[in-house]
Each structure stands twice: as structure tokens, then as C-alpha cells.
Amino acid sequence: MHDEFPLDPELCHLNHAAVGPWPRRTAEAVSRFAEENARWGSLAYPQWLAVEQRLRERLARLIGAVSPDEIALAKNTSEALSVIAHGIDWRPGQTVVGIAQEFPSNRIVWESLASLGVTWRGLDLDASADPEADLIAMCDGNTRLLAVSWVQYASGRRLDLERLGAHCRAHGILFCVDAIQGLGALPCDVRRFQADFMVADGHKWLLGPEGLALLYVRPELRDTLTLRQFGWHMVEQVGDFDRTDWSPARSARRFECGSPNLLGTHALEASLSLIEEIGMDRIWSRLQERTAHLIASIEGRGFELMTPADPGLRAGIISFRIPGIPAEPLYRELMQRKVLCACRGGGIRFSPHFYTPVAMIDRAMEILDETLASRGSG
Ligand SMILES: Cc1ncc(COP(=O)(O)O)c(C=O)c1O
């Protein structure tokens, strides 16, 4: 498996919650695609479309959708969320319930509905002992939609989607899940979660490139979303350029207005082939070993864990603070010493993946120790 991750030995890559590295096979697929374009142009376009179809099939299997027809490919998570938010037939006075500390895309898109008389209300996660219960309690007769990230980008808190989804379905509330911080880290089952919408870009735990995202809409709801983007590619009669009458594609392709991102498609398809080969159960169990090890190192040093220690309440993100030390300068020093990580929510965020050598985690912690020691003496 190490062959698939030819990371420079100098680098400690603990940043899958930001942008993951490409597996070797992904880099090779992109090189092949580039070479083919340079030599043969688009002669093999039908084969490229076959790769795209394989990508939809892999994404459908990954999330537990019934058919690849349920999968649309968007530019990114934010675009996918916008398709949903601006496709719903809102009525003034309706509310969206979410989380105050969400990644901005998950708040801004719902706030953008204010001109339609729709209000977004965010739960203060820091003040909640039972976020699922509190989110459910915030939903009332005016709540049209509950929108959450599966895993919070800063704290790493994982939500019980099954519990939220069951409540939403029972009360006629739409349930929208931003799965970007979970998909590829742990097994997903969109139907068990009873999610109406699921979105995720491919460049984090899925180890793909930026610029290509999953947009899942529960098939029963597909027709109810008003389309806001139009073009040759979203029609049922795609490719019949002489035809003047048209209707939206019956499949989720109706959400894709123009030319596909086939470069990204080749890359993400290759990345997902690796994920499928290894299997999500195995990936998840290996990732849990690494996060448990990381937590033990953090707690052993007396640092303050921002992520819940309970394995049921987290995924691959582990964030922590060092009492009395501001995170931002520490983060900059870590990055300078090639510990690729992030500064989020006032702490340091480490996000290893299933293949991360435990020795790499140990080295990052040693570099952190050295950084702290040199600050103390400097
Ligand atoms: C929860 C969450 N949603 C979305 C994104 C990224 O959105 P996009 O794919 O639109 O760039 C991130 C990136 O950090 C994220 O953490």
C-alpha cells in the first residue's frame, strides 16, 4: 500500500481534512489522460464517458445509493449545496436548522435564502451536551430543512445521522448532509441515514482532486427541485444537437448543465478504485487505530483535546489546543517544518488517513515537542 503513497519522506501529511494527497495511481491516470489529450485529442471521448460512468457507479456504491443515476457531479460542495438550496420551493417564514460553527459554505448558502423570507438558525455546538437532541428540539412546525455536516470541520465532532434522519423523515423535514469530512474515512449509507441530499467534494478523504463533487438527491425528490442552471448536457435528449424541444434528464444528470470535468473524473475514479479495493470497513478500522494513537499522544502530553475522545463521536479529525500557547504561530512553525496540518477553531487540527504510518504521527508530535521547547527557551 505504501507504493500508492509516494509522499516525500520529509513530509508529515496530517491534513486529509483539508486537501488529501493523490495516490500514485491517480497521478498516473492524470498523466495518461494528459498524454492522450496531447497525442490523440478527444478521439477516445466515448471511453472517457465510460470512466465517468464508472465514477458514478463507484460513488453510488460508496454512499449506498441504489443506482448511478442518482449521482450528479458538481464542481464542489458549495455548488452542490447551492443547487439544493435554490431548488427548493420555499415559503416565507420557513426555517433551516443547522450548526453555528459550521464550515462557512454550510451557513452562507442557507443565509442566502433570507431574501425569500427563509431564516437559518444555528445551534451553538460548544454549548450543547447532546447536539442531536438539541438540533431536533430546534426544529418546529416552520422548519423545512435540517442541514449539517456529518463531521464538523474544526472540532471533528461526528453527528449521529441516523438519529437526525429518522426524526426528519418522521416529521416531514428535509435532511441535507455535507459528507465531505466523513466520506472516504468511514462507511456511509445514505439510505440508513435517510438523507434527502448528500454532498461532498472529492479532494479530502477521497484522495481526489479539487473541483469535482458528489451531489446526491433522493430520487423521489429529484422532480421537486427547481433547476437554476441550463445547457446541452442536462437534457434527456443529450447529444441530439439538432433537436429544439427538450426536457430535463430523468436522471441526476439534470443537475449538470454543461461539459463534464473529465480530467477530474479520471483522477477521482482512480482514487475511488483504490478506496474500493481496500474497502471502507478496513479503511475505517485502520484510521481508528491511528486516531486512537494520536489521541493518546495528545493526552499523554497534557494538551487539551477539542475532539470528543469517544470513538463514536469522531471520525478522522483530531483537533487540540496547548494551554497558554496560541495555535496560529505554532501552526506556522509546524508547517515550516513540513508537518502539513491546519489551524481551525483556535486549535491545531491533525487529520491522518488509513495509510498514514504511525511513525509519521510520532514524528509530527516530536516536531511539536521541539517547537514548544524552542519557544520556551527562545
Ligand atoms: C464541511 C465542509 N464543507 C465543505 C468544504 C469545502 O467546500 P467546497 O467543496 O465547496 O470547496 C469543506 C472544506 O474544508 C468542509 O470542511
Side-chain angles (χ1 to χ4, degrees):
M1 199 186 319
H2 279 287
D3 256 17
E4 282 287 1
F5 295 94
L7 290 170
D8 193 289
E10 259 193 81
L11 180 74
C12 290
H13 196 309
L14 297 174
N15 214 21
H16 296 85
V19 180
W22 291 1
R24 188 188 293 277
R25 68 176 71 186
T26 303
E28 286 171 359
V30 168
S31 300
R32 271 198 308 276
F33 189 68
E35 186 63 21
E36 188 180 331
N37 270 270
R39 284 171 66 90
W40 295 102
S42 59
L43 186 65
Y45 206 90
Q47 278 100 294
W48 297 355
L49 291 182
V51 175
E52 188 196 58
Q53 180 60 17
R54 273 210 302 281
L55 173 62
R56 285 184 213 273
E57 287 164 5
R58 291 193 192 282
L59 285 168
R61 284 194 292 273
L62 184 71
I63 68 166
V66 173
S67 146
D69 285 354
E70 297 172 11
I71 306 297
L73 300 170
K75 279 206 294 285
N76 47 51
T77 319
S78 308
E79 183 187 57
L81 286 169
S82 299
V83 167
I84 297 162
H86 289 275
I88 294 171
D89 61 330
W90 301 98
R91 286 187 297 283
Q94 289 183 327
T95 63
V96 176
V97 168
I99 289 176
Q101 289 84 357
E102 276 288 358
F103 185 75
S105 294
N106 242 307
R107 171 175 42 79
I108 291 169
V109 72
W110 310 114
E111 286 177 337
S112 78
L113 302 170
S115 58
L116 304 177
V118 174
T119 316
W120 175 83
R121 292 160 58 218
L123 169 74
D124 180 0
L125 204 56
D126 296 337
S128 173
D130 186 347
E132 289 82 0
D134 292 341
L135 284 166
I136 287 170
M138 278 171 73
C139 295
D140 59 23
N142 290 322
T143 305
R144 183 75 186 279
L145 182 137
L146 174 65
V148 294
S149 291
W150 188 2
V151 178
Q152 288 296 307
Y153 81 104
S155 67
R157 173 66 152 87
R158 169 158 61 101
L159 290 179
D160 182 346
L161 296 184
E162 230 173 307
R163 185 170 165 201
L164 294 174
H167 177 84
C168 286
R169 190 61 62 84
H171 292 81
I173 296 168
L174 295 168
F175 185 34
C176 179
V177 176
D178 177 345
I180 195 169
Q181 294 293 5
L183 208 57
L186 72 163
C188 176
D189 188 341
V190 76
R191 282 177 293 156
R192 190 161 51 80
F193 299 156
Q194 304 197 57
D196 295 303
F197 310 108
M198 182 173 275
V199 296
D201 211 327
H203 61 268
K204 298 183 190 289
W205 305 91
L206 295 177
L207 305 166
E210 289 185 284
L212 188 54
L214 155 85
L215 163 57
Y216 164 85
V217 176
R218 187 157 67 88
E220 293 82 348
L221 297 175
R222 198 178 295 150
D223 278 349
T224 69
L225 286 187
T226 301
L227 297 170
R228 304 284 176 199
Q229 302 184 72
F230 299 87
W232 67 273
H233 187 268
M234 45 75 71
V235 299
E236 183 62 26
Q237 306 77 10
V238 66
D240 192 351
F241 298 118
D242 294 330
R243 196 162 163 171
T244 52
D245 64 314
W246 61 273
S247 52
R250 283 191 294 267
S251 73
R253 184 168 48 76
R254 64 170 52 199
F255 301 115
E256 304 168 1
C257 60
S259 292
N261 171 3
L262 285 174
L263 175 56
T265 295
H266 278 71
L268 187 55
E269 198 277 329
S271 301
L272 293 192
S273 76
L274 176 65
I275 287 177
E276 274 203 289
E277 255 171 56
I278 297 168
M280 277 316 307
D281 287 338
R282 206 162 136 224
I283 287 176
W284 178 221
S285 89
R286 292 178 62 104
L287 178 56
Q288 282 179 291
E289 283 163 20
R290 280 142 185 81
T291 49
H293 180 81
L294 183 51
I295 286 179
S297 315
I298 290 167
E299 292 191 326
R301 285 166 168 80
F303 302 158
E304 181 197 332
L305 199 59
M306 295 157 62
T307 307
D310 179 345
L313 301 181
R314 56 182 164 78
I317 290 176
I318 305 294
S319 299
F320 59 98
R321 292 192 196 94
I322 300 175
I325 309 235
E328 182 70 36
L330 198 57
Y331 155 74
R332 279 198 298 271
E333 285 177 51
L334 287 170
M335 288 288 281
Q336 218 158 29
R337 296 198 55 188
K338 300 196 173 51
V339 178
L340 184 49
C341 60
C343 184
R344 296 285 188 275
I348 301 289
R349 183 182 72 182
F350 281 177
S351 45
H353 210 333
F354 70 97
Y355 69 88
T356 307
V358 170
M360 186 190 277
I361 295 174
D362 290 341
R363 195 151 62 81
M365 293 307 287
E366 279 159 29
I367 292 174
L368 181 58
D369 290 339
E370 288 164 20
T371 305
L372 289 170
S374 67
R375 287 174 71 87
S377 58

Coordinates of all heavy atoms in Angstrom, one line a residue, residues 113-154:
L113 N -30.8 32.6 1.5 CA -32.3 32.5 1.3 C -33.1 33.6 2.0 O -34.3 33.6 1.9 CB -32.8 31.1 1.7 CG -32.1 29.9 1.0 CD1 -32.4 28.6 1.7 CD2 -32.4 29.9 -0.5
A114 N -32.4 34.5 2.7 CA -33.1 35.5 3.5 C -34.0 36.3 2.7 O -35.1 36.6 3.1 CB -32.0 36.3 4.2
S115 N -33.6 36.6 1.4 CA -34.5 37.4 0.6 C -35.8 36.7 0.2 O -36.8 37.3 -0.2 CB -33.7 37.8 -0.7 OG -33.4 36.6 -1.4
L116 N -35.8 35.4 0.4 CA -37.1 34.6 0.2 C -37.9 34.5 1.5 O -38.9 33.8 1.5 CB -36.8 33.2 -0.3 CG -35.9 33.1 -1.6 CD1 -35.6 31.7 -1.9 CD2 -36.6 33.8 -2.7
G117 N -37.4 35.1 2.6 CA -38.1 35.1 3.8 C -37.8 33.8 4.6 O -38.5 33.4 5.5
V118 N -36.7 33.2 4.3 CA -36.3 31.9 4.9 C -35.1 32.3 5.9 O -34.2 33.0 5.6 CB -35.8 30.9 3.9 CG1 -35.2 29.6 4.6 CG2 -36.9 30.5 3.0
T119 N -35.2 31.7 7.1 CA -34.2 32.0 8.2 C -33.4 30.8 8.5 O -34.0 29.7 8.7 CB -35.0 32.5 9.5 OG1 -36.0 33.4 9.1 CG2 -34.0 33.2 10.4
W120 N -32.1 31.0 8.6 CA -31.2 29.9 9.1 C -30.9 30.1 10.6 O -30.6 31.2 11.0 CB -29.9 30.0 8.3 CG -28.9 29.0 8.8 CD1 -28.8 27.7 8.4 CD2 -27.8 29.2 9.7 NE1 -27.8 27.1 9.1 CE2 -27.1 28.0 9.8 CE3 -27.3 30.4 10.3 CZ2 -26.0 27.9 10.6 CZ3 -26.2 30.2 11.2 CH2 -25.6 29.0 11.3
R121 N -31.1 29.0 11.3 CA -30.8 29.1 12.8 C -29.7 28.1 13.1 O -29.9 26.9 12.8 CB -32.1 28.9 13.6 CG -33.1 30.0 13.4 CD -34.5 29.6 13.8 NE -34.5 29.1 15.2 CZ -35.3 28.1 15.6 NH1 -36.0 27.4 14.7 NH2 -35.3 27.7 16.8
G122 N -28.7 28.5 13.8 CA -27.6 27.6 14.1 C -27.5 27.3 15.6 O -27.5 28.1 16.4
L123 N -27.4 26.0 15.8 CA -27.1 25.5 17.2 C -25.7 25.8 17.6 O -24.8 25.6 16.8 CB -27.3 24.0 17.3 CG -26.9 23.3 18.6 CD1 -27.9 23.6 19.7 CD2 -26.8 21.8 18.3
D124 N -25.5 26.3 18.8 CA -24.2 26.6 19.4 C -23.7 25.2 19.9 O -24.0 24.8 21.0 CB -24.2 27.6 20.5 CG -22.8 27.9 21.0 OD1 -21.8 27.2 20.6 OD2 -22.7 28.7 22.0
L125 N -22.8 24.6 19.1 CA -22.3 23.3 19.4 C -21.5 23.3 20.7 O -21.5 22.3 21.4 CB -21.5 22.8 18.2 CG -21.3 21.3 18.0 CD1 -22.6 20.6 17.8 CD2 -20.4 21.1 16.8
D126 N -20.8 24.4 20.9 CA -19.9 24.4 22.1 C -20.8 24.4 23.4 O -20.3 24.1 24.5 CB -19.1 25.7 22.1 CG -18.1 25.7 20.9 OD1 -17.8 24.6 20.4 OD2 -17.7 26.7 20.5
A127 N -22.0 24.8 23.3 CA -22.9 24.9 24.5 C -23.8 23.7 24.6 O -24.8 23.7 25.3 CB -23.7 26.2 24.5
S128 N -23.6 22.7 23.7 CA -24.6 21.6 23.7 C -23.9 20.3 24.1 O -22.9 19.8 23.6 CB -25.0 21.4 22.2 OG -25.8 20.3 22.1
A129 N -24.6 19.6 25.1 CA -24.1 18.3 25.6 C -24.6 17.2 24.7 O -24.0 16.1 24.6 CB -24.6 18.1 27.0
D130 N -25.7 17.4 24.0 CA -26.3 16.4 23.2 C -26.8 17.1 21.9 O -28.0 17.4 21.7 CB -27.5 15.8 23.9 CG -28.1 14.6 23.1 OD1 -27.8 14.4 21.9 OD2 -28.9 13.8 23.7
P131 N -25.9 17.3 20.9 CA -26.2 18.1 19.7 C -27.4 17.6 18.9 O -28.3 18.3 18.4 CB -25.0 18.1 18.9 CG -23.9 17.8 19.8 CD -24.5 17.0 20.9
E132 N -27.5 16.2 18.9 CA -28.6 15.7 18.1 C -29.9 16.0 18.7 O -30.9 16.5 18.0 CB -28.5 14.1 18.0 CG -27.3 13.6 17.1 CD -26.0 13.6 17.8 OE1 -25.9 14.0 19.0 OE2 -25.0 13.3 17.1
A133 N -30.0 15.9 20.1 CA -31.3 16.2 20.8 C -31.6 17.7 20.6 O -32.7 18.1 20.4 CB -31.2 15.8 22.2
D134 N -30.5 18.5 20.7 CA -30.7 20.0 20.6 C -31.2 20.4 19.2 O -32.0 21.3 19.0 CB -29.5 20.7 21.1 CG -29.3 20.5 22.6 OD1 -30.2 20.2 23.3 OD2 -28.1 20.8 23.1
L135 N -30.6 19.8 18.2 CA -31.0 20.1 16.8 C -32.4 19.7 16.6 O -33.2 20.5 16.0 CB -30.1 19.3 15.8 CG -28.7 19.9 15.6 CD1 -27.8 18.9 14.9 CD2 -28.7 21.2 14.9
I136 N -32.8 18.6 17.1 CA -34.2 18.1 17.0 C -35.1 19.1 17.7 O -36.2 19.4 17.2 CB -34.3 16.6 17.5 CG1 -33.6 15.7 16.5 CG2 -35.7 16.3 17.8 CD1 -33.5 14.2 17.0
A137 N -34.7 19.5 18.9 CA -35.5 20.4 19.6 C -35.7 21.8 18.9 O -36.7 22.5 19.1 CB -34.9 20.6 21.0
M138 N -34.7 22.2 18.1 CA -34.7 23.4 17.4 C -35.7 23.4 16.2 O -36.1 24.4 15.7 CB -33.3 23.8 16.9 CG -32.5 24.5 18.0 SD -30.8 24.7 17.4 CE -31.0 26.1 16.2
C139 N -36.0 22.2 15.8 CA -36.9 22.0 14.6 C -38.4 22.2 15.1 O -38.8 21.6 16.1 CB -36.8 20.6 14.0 SG -35.2 20.3 13.2
D140 N -39.1 23.0 14.4 CA -40.5 23.2 14.8 C -41.4 23.1 13.5 O -40.9 22.7 12.5 CB -40.7 24.5 15.5 CG -40.3 25.7 14.7 OD1 -40.2 25.6 13.5 OD2 -40.0 26.8 15.3
G141 N -42.6 23.5 13.6 CA -43.5 23.4 12.5 C -43.1 24.2 11.3 O -43.6 23.9 10.2
N142 N -42.2 25.2 11.5 CA -41.8 26.0 10.3 C -40.5 25.5 9.7 O -40.0 26.0 8.7 CB -41.5 27.5 10.8 CG -42.8 28.2 11.1 OD1 -43.8 28.0 10.4 ND2 -42.8 29.0 12.2
T143 N -39.9 24.5 10.3 CA -38.6 24.0 9.8 C -38.8 23.2 8.6 O -39.5 22.1 8.6 CB -37.9 23.2 10.9 OG1 -37.8 24.0 12.1 CG2 -36.5 22.8 10.4
R144 N -38.2 23.6 7.5 CA -38.3 22.9 6.2 C -37.1 22.0 6.0 O -37.3 20.9 5.4 CB -38.3 24.0 5.1 CG -38.5 23.4 3.7 CD -40.0 23.0 3.5 NE -40.2 22.3 2.2 CZ -40.4 22.9 1.1 NH1 -40.3 24.2 1.0 NH2 -40.6 22.2 0.0
L145 N -36.0 22.3 6.6 CA -34.8 21.5 6.3 C -33.8 21.6 7.5 O -33.6 22.6 8.1 CB -34.2 22.1 5.0 CG -32.9 21.4 4.5 CD1 -33.0 21.3 3.0 CD2 -31.7 22.2 4.8
L146 N -33.2 20.5 7.7 CA -32.1 20.4 8.7 C -30.8 20.1 7.8 O -30.7 19.2 7.0 CB -32.3 19.2 9.6 CG -31.2 18.9 10.6 CD1 -30.9 20.1 11.6 CD2 -31.5 17.6 11.4
A147 N -29.8 21.0 8.0 CA -28.6 20.9 7.2 C -27.4 20.8 8.1 O -27.1 21.8 8.9 CB -28.4 22.2 6.3
V148 N -26.7 19.7 8.1 CA -25.5 19.6 8.9 C -24.3 18.9 8.1 O -24.6 18.2 7.1 CB -25.8 18.6 10.2 CG1 -26.8 19.3 11.1 CG2 -26.2 17.3 9.7
S149 N -23.1 19.1 8.7 CA -22.0 18.3 8.2 C -22.0 17.0 9.0 O -22.3 17.1 10.2 CB -20.7 19.0 8.4 OG -20.6 20.1 7.6
W150 N -21.6 16.0 8.3 CA -21.5 14.7 9.0 C -20.5 14.8 10.2 O -20.7 14.4 11.3 CB -21.1 13.6 8.0 CG -21.1 12.2 8.5 CD1 -21.5 11.7 9.7 CD2 -20.7 11.1 7.7 NE1 -21.4 10.4 9.7 CE2 -20.9 9.9 8.5 CE3 -20.2 10.9 6.4 CZ2 -20.6 8.7 8.0 CZ3 -20.0 9.6 5.9 CH2 -20.1 8.5 6.8
V151 N -19.4 15.4 9.8 CA -18.3 15.6 10.7 C -17.9 17.1 10.7 O -17.7 17.6 9.6 CB -17.0 14.8 10.3 CG1 -15.9 15.0 11.3 CG2 -17.4 13.3 10.3
Q152 N -17.9 17.7 11.9 CA -17.5 19.1 11.9 C -16.1 19.4 11.5 O -15.2 18.7 12.0 CB -17.8 19.7 13.4 CG -19.2 19.8 13.7 CD -19.9 20.8 12.8 OE1 -19.5 21.9 12.7 NE2 -21.0 20.4 12.1
Y153 N -15.9 20.3 10.7 CA -14.5 20.5 10.1 C -13.5 21.0 11.1 O -12.3 20.7 11.0 CB -14.6 21.5 8.9 CG -14.6 23.0 9.4 CD1 -13.4 23.8 9.2 CD2 -15.7 23.6 9.9 CE1 -13.4 25.1 9.6 CE2 -15.7 24.9 10.3 CZ -14.6 25.6 10.2 OH -14.5 26.9 10.6
A154 N -13.9 21.7 12.2 CA -12.9 22.2 13.1 C -12.8 21.3 14.3 O -11.7 20.9 14.6 CB -13.4 23.6 13.6

